Amino acid sequence: MTHTKISDSAVRRLSIYLRLLHDLSDQGAVLVSSRELAERAGATSAQVRKDLSLFGSFGKRGRGYSVAELAATLEEILGLRRHWRVALVGVGKIGTALLGYQDLSRRGFEVVAAFDTATGKVGGRQFGVRISPLAELKTIVRERGVEIGIIATPPEAAQNVAQRLAEAGVTAILNFAPVKLDVPEEVSLKTMDVAMELEGLSFQLAAGQRDEQTTGNGTGSGAG
């Protein structure tokens, strides 16, 4: 299987397919067609087949996909057949919510360390995870073999945290701070910009309203 040149949107769809397959398995389903999977995912049959074909040949013509086998394959593709050790930096509202998100551990992401600079938080625990001072980040990250870092700090602190994580050997960072970060080439970086995601939804809503107005006014784009 090749993992090169796979778009972020395709990876997101694989995650959606996997969740749907888990739901189908819980419902006792044994087989699923590309059409059914597409309908549940809000995609098309052609898109489902295209996404899966990036990683090989799945299913049998006329029978569909084995729910259990396809789920296992997607878990392997997404790197979920093992546990990943995660460190969280910034135990504010977002950070606390992430620590309390039980689905992380169920999906193989174990938060083994948390860091903050607030004296009122350091030394305490959130959802069983001890909060350590930022000054101890490099030592703890290396001792616990952290592979993924999550940044949930104010924007002005995020770049410094990203540098500390990279220096400690972390090669994958998920950034929730609304700022662009510079990291070494060997570090994979994803930024969750909530405002940008909401702007995307706003565009879709506005476009839908414009379409309704155009239809209601009876104005099309064709030549008279």
Side-chain angles (χ1 to χ4, degrees):
M1 286 183 289
T2 176
H3 295 252
T4 59
K5 298 182 180 179
I6 306 301
S7 68
D8 286 344
S9 58
V11 174
R12 291 191 189 100
R13 287 193 296 272
L14 293 182
S15 294
I16 293 172
Y17 302 155
L18 179 57
R19 292 187 182 186
L20 293 174
L21 289 166
H22 285 159
D23 290 342
L24 287 166
S25 179
D26 290 341
Q27 296 165 15
V30 176
L31 295 171
V32 62
S33 66
S34 59
R35 178 179 179 180
E36 182 179 1
L37 201 55
E39 289 175 350
R40 289 172 177 260
T44 64
S45 298
Q47 183 67 70
V48 170
R49 291 192 295 270
K50 180 180 179 181
D51 289 337
L52 296 179
S53 69
L54 294 171
F55 299 92
S57 178
F58 305 95
K60 296 181 179 180
R61 185 177 297 275
R63 293 186 67 244
Y65 306 102
S66 163
V67 171
E69 290 179 7
L70 184 56
T73 300
L74 292 184
E75 287 174 353
E76 182 180 351
I77 290 171
L78 293 169
L80 303 179
R81 305 291 284 182
R82 54 158 293 178
H83 279 75
W84 299 96
R85 291 174 290 276
V86 179
L88 169 71
V89 185
V91 192
K93 293 181 179 179
I94 292 177
T96 300
L98 289 170
L99 287 175
Y101 185 42
Q102 296 181 356
D103 209 35
L104 283 180
S105 60
R106 284 197 293 264
R107 294 186 178 276
F109 301 96
E110 182 183 4
V111 181
V112 298
F115 303 90
D116 206 285
T117 57
T119 55
K121 297 177 182 178
V122 172
R125 288 181 176 272
Q126 286 283 3
F127 299 98
V129 180
R130 184 180 183 277
I131 303 172
S132 302
L134 188 62
E136 297 179 6
L137 184 146
K138 182 180 291 187
T139 299
I140 292 176
V141 161
R142 288 180 173 175
E143 285 179 349
R144 300 181 186 176
V146 171
E147 297 145 313
I148 299 175
I150 300 178
I151 298 176
T153 67
E156 60 271 16
Q159 181 60 53
N160 175 260
V161 169
Q163 183 175 341
R164 285 171 178 256
L165 288 169
E167 290 174 351
V170 172
T171 55
I173 295 175
L174 177 61
N175 173 40
F176 281 88
V179 62
K180 183 179 179 181
L181 301 179
D182 291 322
V183 296
E185 290 185 2
E186 65 270 17
V187 176
S188 298
L189 172 68
K190 286 191 177 296
T191 296
M192 298 294 294
D193 191 323
V194 176
M196 186 176 294
E197 297 296 336
L198 287 172
E199 287 169 359
L201 290 174
S202 173
F203 170 79
Q204 293 178 11
L205 289 172
Q209 292 172 356
R210 287 193 295 269
D211 290 343
E212 290 178 0
Q213 292 173 354
T214 300
T215 302
N217 293 334
T219 57
S221 59

